[in-house]
Amino acid sequence: MASHRRPKQPSRARMSVFTVSAAAAVAALTSQAAQADPQASKKDVKAKVDKLYEEAEGATEKYNGAKDKQKKLQKQVENLQDGVARGQEELNEMRDGLGSMATAQYRSGGVDPSVQLFLSSDPDNYLDRAATMDQLTSKQAEALKKVQGKQRSLAQQRSEASDKLKDLAETRKELGDKKQKIQGKLSKAQSLLNTLTAEERERMAKKQERADRASSDRVDLGNDSSSSSRAAAALSAAKGKIGSPYVWGATGPSSFDCSGLTSWAYQQAGVSLPRTSQAQANAGSRLGQGELAPGDLVFFYDDLHHVGLYAGNGQILHAPKPGANVRFESINNMPFMFGTRV
């Protein structure tokens, strides 16, 4: 006959042993995890910071494009406003001439009704209203047509200037938004860095310094020749800026972002390049990696947000990212898209 006795419950002493053992096991695992966390956390922080820096650089090139557009719009607005001012002066002189004509007519026996009509109404509608009048002389008609043409031209220029001013206001807002986006990413990166200990941050900084020094001290550029004297001159100018810090939106001569360095370098060679990396990509003939020669432009990432100068032997010279200086680096450290020969 089967037994129906209740199973024997573990004693209080045995439960205590189990509890202590489980607690010890959890403590051991926690201790191991704690010992592994700092290194894992440091790598994770660095990866996130590098990603934020890359995103900030992409935003910087968009900012550079908007800033370049703002500069061009500002110049166009100034030219239009100057043209309107000069045109108004010319119109005033024409009107003075008509006034003199009216005065002469008055002295000789009365003002021509057509001139009276012009002087007392909107000149833009004058000719239509004066068409039925026979009193217009050829000289008067010519003068009035010139005034009317000048008024229409001024109205068109004022309208164009107004449109450009609206574009300028929108571009300035766009600049502010992009600047805020960049600063937000850089601020987030700094906040992540602040989660590391002072010792960890110092180690990261020293590693960055070693990378900057190694790029200029021990790099082998081989014996490749530039494709042109301007490419050689641009690369030579950029070499003179090794060690200069990366600063977003900077175009030299003491700090640069990526496209700021390439545009500045080619400017020293007498060549004007567009401001952004994306625009510079269309400034010459495209090349594959095996066709590159020192001084050629090299572009990275799908959206072409990074550009540098090919230096030879698989090395590029560029302004890498915030916290890093202008330096040589392997072309394989980033996703290469193509090169451009200016």
Side-chain angles (χ1 to χ4, degrees), residues 84-103:
V84 167
R86 287 193 301 271
Q88 187 63 54
E89 289 177 2
E90 292 173 6
L91 181 60
N92 292 340
E93 289 176 2
M94 290 178 179
R95 283 174 169 168
D96 289 344
L98 284 172
S100 298
M101 186 186 301
T103 301

Side-chain angles (χ1 to χ4, degrees), residues 26 55 58 63 99 106 121 126 141 166-167 220 233 268 280 288 326 330:
V26 170
E55 291 173 355
Y63 170 88
Y106 176 77
S121 64
Y126 172 74
K166 289 178 183 176
D167 289 345
D220 178 10
Q268 310 317 300
Q280 289 178 15
V326 174
S330 170

